[in-house]
Amino acid sequence: MKELLLYIARNLVDDPEAVSVTEVEGPQELTLELRVAPDDMGKVIGRQGRIAKEIRTVIRAYAQRTGQKVSVDIVD
């Protein structure tokens, strides 16, 4: 899942080297924290959060196929 999120984020931003994903294991679910360059934050979030919502939907659908619960946080 981490690789899928990295792939999606790197293809959206201008500075793909600045993209990083950290896995945080919680009691109920796995949280993926996405970090991008400050200039690329708008490209990952999108207008009214549409792109961020779709990224979360894709990751959640993939996680559901593997039987896991995953959430995506975009961290600045």
Coordinates of all heavy atoms in Angstrom, one line a residue:
M1 N 0.8 -1.2 0.0 CA 0.0 0.0 0.0 C 0.9 1.3 0.0 O 0.5 2.2 -0.6 CB -0.9 0.0 1.2 CG -2.3 -0.2 0.9 SD -3.3 -0.8 2.2 CE -2.6 -2.2 2.7
K2 N 1.9 1.2 0.7 CA 2.9 2.3 0.8 C 3.4 2.6 -0.6 O 3.5 3.8 -1.0 CB 4.0 2.0 1.8 CG 5.0 3.1 1.9 CD 6.1 2.7 2.9 CE 7.1 3.7 3.1 NZ 8.2 3.4 4.0
E3 N 3.7 1.6 -1.4 CA 4.2 1.8 -2.7 C 3.2 2.4 -3.6 O 3.5 3.2 -4.5 CB 4.7 0.5 -3.3 CG 6.0 -0.1 -2.6 CD 5.6 -0.8 -1.3 OE1 4.4 -1.2 -1.1 OE2 6.5 -1.0 -0.4
L4 N 1.9 2.0 -3.5 CA 0.9 2.5 -4.3 C 0.7 4.0 -4.0 O 0.6 4.8 -4.9 CB -0.4 1.8 -4.0 CG -1.7 2.3 -4.8 CD1 -1.5 2.2 -6.3 CD2 -2.9 1.5 -4.3
L5 N 0.7 4.4 -2.7 CA 0.6 5.8 -2.4 C 1.7 6.6 -2.9 O 1.5 7.7 -3.4 CB 0.4 6.0 -0.9 CG 0.2 7.4 -0.3 CD1 -1.0 8.0 -1.0 CD2 0.1 7.4 1.2
L6 N 2.9 6.1 -2.8 CA 4.1 6.8 -3.3 C 4.0 7.0 -4.8 O 4.3 8.0 -5.4 CB 5.4 6.0 -3.0 CG 6.0 6.2 -1.6 CD1 7.1 5.1 -1.4 CD2 6.5 7.5 -1.4
Y7 N 3.6 6.0 -5.5 CA 3.4 6.0 -7.0 C 2.4 7.1 -7.4 O 2.7 7.9 -8.3 CB 3.0 4.7 -7.5 CG 2.7 4.7 -9.0 CD1 3.8 4.6 -9.9 CD2 1.4 4.8 -9.5 CE1 3.5 4.6 -11.3 CE2 1.2 4.8 -10.9 CZ 2.2 4.7 -11.7 OH 2.0 4.8 -13.1
I8 N 1.3 7.1 -6.7 CA 0.2 8.1 -7.0 C 0.7 9.5 -6.7 O 0.6 10.4 -7.6 CB -1.1 7.8 -6.2 CG1 -1.7 6.5 -6.7 CG2 -2.1 9.0 -6.4 CD1 -2.8 6.0 -5.8
A9 N 1.3 9.7 -5.6 CA 1.8 11.1 -5.2 C 2.9 11.6 -6.1 O 2.9 12.7 -6.5 CB 2.2 11.1 -3.7
R10 N 3.8 10.7 -6.4 CA 5.0 11.1 -7.2 C 4.5 11.5 -8.6 O 5.2 12.4 -9.2 CB 6.0 10.0 -7.3 CG 6.8 9.9 -6.0 CD 7.9 8.9 -6.1 NE 8.7 8.9 -4.8 CZ 9.4 7.8 -4.4 NH1 9.4 6.7 -5.1 NH2 10.0 7.9 -3.3
N11 N 3.5 11.0 -9.1 CA 3.0 11.3 -10.4 C 2.1 12.6 -10.4 O 1.8 13.1 -11.5 CB 2.2 10.2 -11.1 CG 3.2 9.1 -11.5 OD1 4.0 9.3 -12.4 ND2 3.1 7.9 -10.9
L12 N 1.8 13.1 -9.3 CA 1.0 14.3 -9.2 C 1.8 15.6 -9.0 O 1.4 16.6 -9.4 CB 0.0 14.2 -8.0 CG -1.2 13.3 -8.2 CD1 -2.0 13.2 -6.9 CD2 -2.1 13.7 -9.3
V13 N 3.0 15.4 -8.4 CA 3.7 16.6 -7.9 C 4.9 17.0 -8.9 O 5.2 16.2 -9.8 CB 4.3 16.4 -6.5 CG1 3.2 16.1 -5.5 CG2 5.3 15.2 -6.5
D14 N 5.4 18.2 -8.7 CA 6.5 18.6 -9.5 C 7.9 18.1 -9.0 O 8.8 18.0 -9.7 CB 6.6 20.2 -9.6 CG 5.4 20.7 -10.4 OD1 5.0 20.0 -11.4 OD2 5.0 21.9 -10.1
D15 N 8.0 17.9 -7.7 CA 9.2 17.5 -7.0 C 9.0 16.1 -6.4 O 8.7 15.9 -5.2 CB 9.6 18.5 -5.9 CG 10.9 18.1 -5.3 OD1 11.6 17.3 -5.9 OD2 11.3 18.8 -4.3
P16 N 9.1 15.0 -7.3 CA 8.8 13.7 -6.8 C 9.8 13.2 -5.7 O 9.5 12.3 -4.9 CB 8.8 12.8 -8.0 CG 9.5 13.6 -9.0 CD 9.4 15.0 -8.7
E17 N 11.0 13.8 -5.7 CA 12.0 13.3 -4.7 C 11.6 13.7 -3.3 O 12.1 13.2 -2.3 CB 13.4 13.9 -5.0 CG 13.9 13.4 -6.4 CD 14.1 11.9 -6.4 OE1 14.5 11.3 -5.4 OE2 13.7 11.3 -7.5
A18 N 10.8 14.7 -3.1 CA 10.4 15.2 -1.8 C 9.2 14.4 -1.2 O 8.8 14.7 -0.1 CB 10.0 16.7 -1.9
V19 N 8.6 13.5 -2.0 CA 7.5 12.7 -1.5 C 8.0 11.6 -0.6 O 8.9 10.9 -0.9 CB 6.7 12.1 -2.7 CG1 5.6 11.2 -2.2 CG2 6.2 13.2 -3.6
S20 N 7.3 11.5 0.6 CA 7.7 10.4 1.5 C 6.4 9.9 2.2 O 5.4 10.7 2.4 CB 8.7 10.9 2.6 OG 8.1 11.8 3.4
V21 N 6.4 8.7 2.5 CA 5.2 8.1 3.2 C 5.7 7.3 4.4 O 6.7 6.6 4.4 CB 4.5 7.1 2.3 CG1 3.4 6.4 3.0 CG2 3.9 7.8 1.1
T22 N 5.1 7.6 5.6 CA 5.4 7.0 6.8 C 4.3 6.1 7.3 O 3.1 6.6 7.3 CB 5.8 8.0 7.9 OG1 6.8 8.9 7.4 CG2 6.3 7.4 9.2
E23 N 4.5 4.9 7.7 CA 3.5 4.0 8.2 C 3.4 4.1 9.7 O 4.4 4.0 10.4 CB 3.8 2.6 7.8 CG 3.7 2.3 6.3 CD 4.0 0.8 6.0 OE1 4.6 0.1 6.8 OE2 3.6 0.4 4.9
V24 N 2.2 4.4 10.2 CA 2.0 4.5 11.7 C 1.0 3.4 12.1 O -0.2 3.5 11.6 CB 1.5 5.9 12.1 CG1 1.3 5.9 13.6 CG2 2.5 6.9 11.7
E25 N 1.4 2.4 12.8 CA 0.6 1.3 13.2 C -0.3 1.7 14.4 O 0.3 2.0 15.5 CB 1.4 0.1 13.5 CG 0.6 -1.2 13.7 CD 0.1 -1.7 12.3 OE1 0.9 -1.7 11.4 OE2 -1.1 -2.1 12.3
G26 N -1.6 1.7 14.2 CA -2.5 2.0 15.3 C -3.2 0.8 15.8 O -3.0 -0.3 15.3
P27 N -4.0 0.9 16.9 CA -4.6 -0.3 17.4 C -5.7 -0.9 16.5 O -5.9 -2.1 16.5 CB -5.3 0.2 18.7 CG -5.4 1.7 18.6 CD -4.3 2.1 17.6
Q28 N -6.3 -0.1 15.7 CA -7.4 -0.6 14.9 C -7.0 -0.6 13.4 O -7.5 -1.3 12.6 CB -8.7 0.3 15.0 CG -9.2 0.3 16.4 CD -9.8 -1.1 16.8 OE1 -10.3 -1.8 15.9 NE2 -9.6 -1.5 18.0
E29 N -6.2 0.4 13.0 CA -5.8 0.5 11.6 C -4.4 1.1 11.4 O -3.8 1.6 12.3 CB -6.9 1.5 10.9 CG -6.8 2.9 11.4 CD -7.8 3.8 10.7 OE1 -8.7 3.3 10.0 OE2 -7.7 5.0 10.9
L30 N -4.0 0.9 10.1 CA -2.7 1.4 9.7 C -2.9 2.8 9.1 O -3.8 3.0 8.3 CB -2.1 0.5 8.6 CG -0.8 1.0 8.0 CD1 0.3 0.9 9.0 CD2 -0.5 0.1 6.8
T31 N -2.1 3.8 9.5 CA -2.2 5.2 9.0 C -1.0 5.4 8.2 O 0.2 5.2 8.6 CB -2.3 6.2 10.2 OG1 -3.4 5.9 11.0 CG2 -2.4 7.6 9.6
L32 N -1.2 5.9 6.9 CA -0.1 6.3 6.0 C 0.0 7.8 6.0 O -1.0 8.5 5.7 CB -0.4 5.8 4.6 CG -0.5 4.3 4.5 CD1 -0.9 3.9 3.1 CD2 0.8 3.6 4.8
E33 N 1.1 8.3 6.5 CA 1.3 9.8 6.5 C 2.1 10.2 5.2 O 3.2 9.8 5.1 CB 2.0 10.2 7.8 CG 1.2 10.0 9.0 CD 2.0 10.4 10.3 OE1 3.2 10.7 10.2 OE2 1.3 10.5 11.3
L34 N 1.4 11.0 4.4 CA 2.0 11.5 3.2 C 2.6 12.9 3.4 O 1.9 13.8 3.8 CB 0.9 11.5 2.1 CG 1.3 12.1 0.7 CD1 2.4 11.2 0.1 CD2 0.1 12.2 -0.2
R35 N 3.9 13.0 3.0 CA 4.5 14.3 3.1 C 5.0 14.7 1.7 O 5.6 13.9 1.0 CB 5.7 14.3 4.0 CG 5.3 14.2 5.5 CD 6.5 14.2 6.4 NE 6.1 14.3 7.8 CZ 5.6 13.3 8.5 NH1 5.5 12.2 8.0 NH2 5.3 13.5 9.8
V36 N 4.8 15.9 1.3 CA 5.2 16.4 0.0 C 5.9 17.8 0.2 O 5.7 18.4 1.3 CB 4.1 16.5 -1.1 CG1 3.5 15.2 -1.4 CG2 3.0 17.5 -0.6
A37 N 6.5 18.3 -0.8 CA 7.1 19.7 -0.8 C 6.0 20.7 -0.6 O 4.9 20.5 -1.1 CB 7.9 20.0 -2.0
P38 N 6.2 21.8 0.2 CA 5.2 22.8 0.4 C 4.6 23.3 -0.9 O 3.4 23.6 -0.9 CB 5.9 23.9 1.2 CG 7.1 23.2 1.8 CD 7.5 22.1 0.9
D39 N 5.4 23.5 -1.9 CA 4.8 24.0 -3.2 C 3.9 23.0 -3.9 O 3.0 23.4 -4.7 CB 6.0 24.3 -4.2 CG 6.8 25.5 -3.7 OD1 6.4 26.2 -2.8 OD2 8.0 25.6 -4.1
D40 N 4.0 21.7 -3.6 CA 3.2 20.7 -4.2 C 1.9 20.3 -3.4 O 1.1 19.5 -3.8 CB 4.0 19.4 -4.4 CG 5.0 19.7 -5.5 OD1 4.8 20.4 -6.4 OD2 6.1 19.0 -5.4
M41 N 1.8 20.9 -2.2 CA 0.7 20.6 -1.3 C -0.7 20.8 -2.0 O -1.6 19.9 -1.9 CB 0.7 21.4 0.0 CG -0.2 20.9 1.0 SD 0.1 19.3 1.6 CE 1.5 19.6 2.6
G42 N -0.8 21.8 -2.8 CA -2.1 22.1 -3.5 C -2.4 21.1 -4.5 O -3.6 20.8 -4.8
K43 N -1.4 20.6 -5.2 CA -1.6 19.5 -6.2 C -2.1 18.2 -5.6 O -2.8 17.5 -6.3 CB -0.3 19.3 -7.0 CG 0.0 20.6 -7.8 CD 1.3 20.4 -8.6 CE 1.6 21.6 -9.4 NZ 2.9 21.7 -9.9
V44 N -1.6 17.9 -4.4 CA -2.0 16.7 -3.8 C -3.4 16.8 -3.2 O -4.2 15.8 -3.2 CB -1.0 16.2 -2.7 CG1 -1.5 15.1 -1.9 CG2 0.3 15.9 -3.4
I45 N -3.8 18.0 -2.7 CA -5.1 18.2 -2.0 C -6.1 18.4 -3.1 O -7.2 17.9 -3.0 CB -5.0 19.3 -1.0 CG1 -4.1 18.9 0.1 CG2 -6.4 19.7 -0.5 CD1 -3.8 20.0 1.1
G46 N -5.8 19.3 -4.1 CA -6.8 19.6 -5.1 C -7.8 20.6 -4.7 O -7.9 21.0 -3.5
R47 N -8.7 21.0 -5.6 CA -9.7 21.9 -5.3 C -10.8 21.3 -4.4 O -11.3 20.2 -4.7 CB -10.4 22.4 -6.6 CG -9.5 23.2 -7.5 CD -10.2 23.8 -8.6 NE -9.3 24.5 -9.5 CZ -9.6 25.4 -10.3 NH1 -10.9 25.8 -10.5 NH2 -8.7 26.0 -11.0
Q48 N -11.0 22.0 -3.3 CA -12.0 21.5 -2.3 C -11.7 20.1 -1.8 O -12.6 19.4 -1.4 CB -13.4 21.6 -2.9 CG -13.8 23.0 -3.2 CD -15.2 23.1 -3.8 OE1 -15.8 22.0 -4.1 NE2 -15.7 24.3 -4.0
G49 N -10.4 19.7 -1.9 CA -10.0 18.4 -1.4 C -10.4 17.2 -2.3 O -10.3 16.1 -1.8
R50 N -10.7 17.4 -3.5 CA -11.2 16.3 -4.4 C -10.1 15.3 -4.6 O -10.4 14.1 -4.6 CB -11.7 16.9 -5.7 CG -13.0 17.6 -5.6 CD -13.6 18.0 -6.9 NE -14.8 18.8 -6.7 CZ -15.0 19.9 -7.4 NH1 -14.2 20.3 -8.3 NH2 -16.1 20.5 -7.1
I51 N -8.9 15.7 -4.9 CA -7.8 14.8 -5.2 C -7.4 14.0 -4.0 O -7.3 12.8 -4.0 CB -6.6 15.5 -5.8 CG1 -7.0 16.1 -7.2 CG2 -5.4 14.6 -6.0 CD1 -5.9 16.9 -7.8
A52 N -7.4 14.7 -2.9 CA -7.1 14.0 -1.6 C -8.1 12.9 -1.3 O -7.8 11.8 -0.9 CB -7.0 15.0 -0.4
K53 N -9.4 13.3 -1.5 CA -10.5 12.3 -1.3 C -10.4 11.1 -2.2 O -10.6 10.0 -1.8 CB -11.8 13.1 -1.5 CG -13.0 12.2 -1.3 CD -14.3 13.0 -1.5 CE -15.5 12.1 -1.3 NZ -16.7 12.8 -1.7
E54 N -10.0 11.3 -3.4 CA -9.9 10.2 -4.4 C -8.7 9.3 -4.1 O -8.7 8.1 -4.2 CB -9.8 10.7 -5.8 CG -11.1 11.3 -6.3 CD -12.3 10.4 -6.2 OE1 -12.2 9.2 -6.5 OE2 -13.3 10.9 -5.7
I55 N -7.6 10.0 -3.6 CA -6.4 9.2 -3.2 C -6.8 8.3 -2.0 O -6.5 7.1 -2.0 CB -5.2 10.1 -2.8 CG1 -4.7 10.8 -4.0 CG2 -4.2 9.3 -2.0 CD1 -3.6 11.9 -3.7
R56 N -7.5 8.8 -1.1 CA -8.0 8.0 0.1 C -8.9 6.9 -0.3 O -8.8 5.8 0.2 CB -8.7 8.9 1.1 CG -7.7 9.8 1.8 CD -8.4 10.7 2.9 NE -7.5 11.5 3.6 CZ -7.4 12.8 3.5 NH1 -8.3 13.5 2.7 NH2 -6.5 13.5 4.2
T57 N -9.8 7.2 -1.3 CA -10.7 6.2 -1.8 C -9.9 5.0 -2.5 O -10.3 3.8 -2.2 CB -11.7 6.8 -2.8 OG1 -12.4 7.8 -2.2 CG2 -12.7 5.8 -3.4
V58 N -9.0 5.3 -3.3 CA -8.2 4.3 -4.0 C -7.4 3.4 -3.0 O -7.4 2.2 -3.0 CB -7.2 4.9 -5.0 CG1 -6.2 3.9 -5.5 CG2 -8.0 5.5 -6.1
I59 N -6.8 4.0 -2.0 CA -6.0 3.3 -1.0 C -6.9 2.5 -0.1 O -6.6 1.3 0.2 CB -5.2 4.3 -0.1 CG1 -4.1 5.0 -1.0 CG2 -4.5 3.5 1.0 CD1 -3.1 4.2 -1.7
R60 N -8.1 3.0 0.3 CA -9.0 2.3 1.1 C -9.6 1.1 0.3 O -9.7 0.0 0.9 CB -10.2 3.2 1.5 CG -10.9 2.7 2.7 CD -11.9 3.7 3.3 NE -11.3 4.9 3.8 CZ -11.6 6.1 3.4 NH1 -12.5 6.3 2.5 NH2 -10.9 7.1 3.8
A61 N -9.8 1.2 -1.0 CA -10.3 0.1 -1.8 C -9.3 -1.0 -1.9 O -9.6 -2.2 -1.8 CB -10.8 0.6 -3.2
Y62 N -8.1 -0.6 -2.1 CA -7.0 -1.6 -2.2 C -6.8 -2.3 -0.9 O -6.6 -3.5 -0.8 CB -5.7 -0.9 -2.6 CG -4.5 -1.9 -2.8 CD1 -4.4 -2.7 -3.8 CD2 -3.5 -1.9 -1.8 CE1 -3.4 -3.6 -3.9 CE2 -2.4 -2.8 -1.9 CZ -2.4 -3.6 -3.0 OH -1.3 -4.5 -3.1
A63 N -6.9 -1.6 0.2 CA -6.7 -2.2 1.5 C -7.8 -3.1 1.9 O -7.6 -4.2 2.5 CB -6.6 -1.1 2.6
Q64 N -9.0 -2.8 1.4 CA -10.2 -3.7 1.7 C -10.0 -5.0 1.0 O -10.4 -6.0 1.5 CB -11.4 -3.0 1.2 CG -12.7 -3.6 1.7 CD -13.9 -2.7 1.4 OE1 -13.9 -2.0 0.4 NE2 -14.9 -2.8 2.2
R65 N -9.4 -5.0 -0.2 CA -9.1 -6.3 -0.9 C -8.2 -7.2 -0.1 O -8.2 -8.4 -0.2 CB -8.6 -6.0 -2.3 CG -9.5 -5.4 -3.2 CD -8.9 -5.2 -4.6 NE -9.9 -5.6 -5.6 CZ -9.5 -6.0 -6.8 NH1 -8.3 -6.1 -7.1 NH2 -10.5 -6.4 -7.6
T66 N -7.2 -6.6 0.6 CA -6.3 -7.3 1.4 C -6.7 -7.6 2.8 O -6.0 -8.2 3.6 CB -4.9 -6.6 1.4 OG1 -5.0 -5.3 2.0 CG2 -4.4 -6.4 0.0
G67 N -7.9 -7.1 3.2 CA -8.5 -7.3 4.5 C -7.9 -6.4 5.6 O -8.0 -6.7 6.8
Q68 N -7.4 -5.2 5.2 CA -6.8 -4.3 6.2 C -7.6 -3.0 6.3 O -8.4 -2.7 5.4 CB -5.4 -3.9 5.8 CG -4.4 -5.1 5.9 CD -3.0 -4.7 5.4 OE1 -2.9 -3.9 4.5 NE2 -2.0 -5.2 6.1
K69 N -7.5 -2.3 7.3 CA -8.1 -1.0 7.5 C -6.9 0.0 7.4 O -6.0 0.0 8.2 CB -8.8 -0.8 8.8 CG -10.2 -1.2 8.8 CD -10.9 -0.8 10.0 CE -11.8 0.4 9.7 NZ -12.8 0.7 10.7
V70 N -7.0 1.0 6.5 CA -6.0 1.9 6.2 C -6.6 3.3 6.1 O -7.6 3.5 5.5 CB -5.2 1.6 5.0 CG1 -4.1 2.6 4.7 CG2 -4.5 0.2 5.1
S71 N -5.9 4.3 6.6 CA -6.3 5.7 6.4 C -5.1 6.5 5.9 O -3.9 6.1 6.2 CB -6.8 6.4 7.7 OG -5.8 6.4 8.7
V72 N -5.3 7.6 5.2 CA -4.3 8.4 4.6 C -4.4 9.8 5.2 O -5.4 10.4 5.1 CB -4.3 8.4 3.1 CG1 -3.3 9.4 2.5 CG2 -4.2 7.1 2.5
D73 N -3.3 10.3 5.8 CA -3.2 11.6 6.3 C -2.1 12.4 5.5 O -1.0 11.9 5.3 CB -2.7 11.6 7.8 CG -3.8 11.1 8.7 OD1 -5.0 11.1 8.3 OD2 -3.5 10.8 9.8
I74 N -2.5 13.6 5.1 CA -1.6 14.4 4.3 C -1.0 15.4 5.4 O -1.7 16.2 5.9 CB -2.3 15.1 3.2 CG1 -2.8 14.1 2.2 CG2 -1.3 16.1 2.5 CD1 -3.7 14.7 1.1
V75 N 0.3 15.3 5.6 CA 1.0 16.1 6.7 C 1.8 17.2 6.0 O 2.5 16.9 5.1 CB 1.9 15.1 7.5 CG1 2.5 15.9 8.7 CG2 1.0 14.0 8.0
D76 N 1.8 18.4 6.6 CA 2.6 19.4 6.1 C 3.9 19.6 7.0 O 4.1 19.0 7.9 CB 1.9 20.8 6.0 CG 0.9 21.1 7.1 OD1 0.0 20.2 7.3 OD2 1.0 22.1 7.8

